[in-house]
Amino acid sequence: MKRPGGDSIIVFPYQVNSFIINDSATKSNFEFKRYPSAHTSKYDMRDIYFLTLYQEKTSLVMLISKTLKKADYKDPYSNNLRYDTFEDANEYFSLKTDGSLTKIKKNKKSVLGALSDKEEALKSLMDQEKLDIKTERDLVVAVAKYNAI
């Protein structure tokens, strides 16, 4: 970590609960948090930092990651990728107060499945607002509507 004075120090991950990255170009702040009680049915995710997109009773968080796609140009049926590339592999999750994380994809069916305890009311609100859930903004609005029910 670089301190305001210009020198740097080593910080252990268990000492950092959250941090903010400032984007000076867009004047945006991105808050990353670690949720000690976060878990899915398969994985314990309490030591992972999530980008907090919306925080309320039920929050929307994003796990930012990349995957390496290897060059593929030697086979006759290849995609003609000459260089290794990194591709986004971001995942969205709803985070409830009990720490349970449910994966959400950017589509209406996935949102309604993840927030199924208020599915009918949420579906009618999404239809009224004409939310298509193709963008991150629509996903945030859908979770906010869910909390308002």
Side-chain angles (χ1 to χ4, degrees), residues 30 32 44 55 57 62 64 67 71 74 79 84 104-105 111 115 126 130 132 135:
F30 300 97
F32 290 81
D44 181 13
Q55 187 159 359
K57 192 170 43 176
M62 180 170 56
I64 297 178
T67 57
K74 293 183 180 179
N79 293 330
D84 294 345
I104 297 178
K105 294 180 183 177
V111 170
L115 306 172
M126 287 170 66
K130 296 184 176 125
D132 196 20
T135 65

Side-chain angles (χ1 to χ4, degrees), residues 54 56-60 94-98 100 102 104 110-126 129 131 133 138-149:
Y54 174 78
E56 187 66 39
K57 192 170 43 176
T58 297
S59 301
L60 181 65
S94 67
L95 174 66
K96 302 236 175 163
T97 53
D98 65 354
S100 63
T102 306
I104 297 178
S110 179
V111 170
L112 293 173
L115 306 172
S116 60
D117 56 330
K118 300 176 185 177
E119 183 176 356
E120 289 302 317
L122 182 60
K123 184 177 181 183
S124 66
L125 280 173
M126 287 170 66
E129 297 284 326
L131 293 177
I133 315 295
D138 285 348
L139 201 54
V140 170
V141 171
V143 174
K145 295 288 182 191
Y146 170 82
N147 282 316
I149 297 173

Side-chain angles (χ1 to χ4, degrees), residues 57-74:
K57 192 170 43 176
T58 297
S59 301
L60 181 65
V61 296
M62 180 170 56
L63 177 61
I64 297 178
S65 61
K66 302 274 185 187
T67 57
L68 176 65
K69 190 164 188 171
K70 296 295 245 173
D72 179 21
Y73 60 91
K74 293 183 180 179

Side-chain angles (χ1 to χ4, degrees), residues 12-76:
F12 296 105
Y14 66 85
Q15 294 175 310
V16 179
N17 291 326
S18 67
F19 60 91
I20 296 174
I21 296 177
N22 300 314
D23 183 2
S24 58
T26 62
K27 306 231 184 309
S28 300
N29 293 331
F30 300 97
E31 184 176 16
F32 290 81
K33 282 187 174 181
R34 194 172 52 160
Y35 297 93
S37 62
H39 63 277
T40 64
S41 58
K42 294 182 182 178
Y43 305 107
D44 181 13
M45 302 179 92
R46 64 178 167 221
D47 293 330
I48 296 174
Y49 292 95
F50 292 94
L51 173 60
T52 306
L53 299 172
Y54 174 78
Q55 187 159 359
E56 187 66 39
K57 192 170 43 176
T58 297
S59 301
L60 181 65
V61 296
M62 180 170 56
L63 177 61
I64 297 178
S65 61
K66 302 274 185 187
T67 57
L68 176 65
K69 190 164 188 171
K70 296 295 245 173
D72 179 21
Y73 60 91
K74 293 183 180 179
D75 288 334

Side-chain angles (χ1 to χ4, degrees), residues 81-94:
L81 296 173
R82 298 271 176 194
Y83 305 100
D84 294 345
T85 58
F86 285 101
E87 294 183 348
D88 290 334
N90 301 334
E91 297 176 293
Y92 297 93
F93 293 92
S94 67

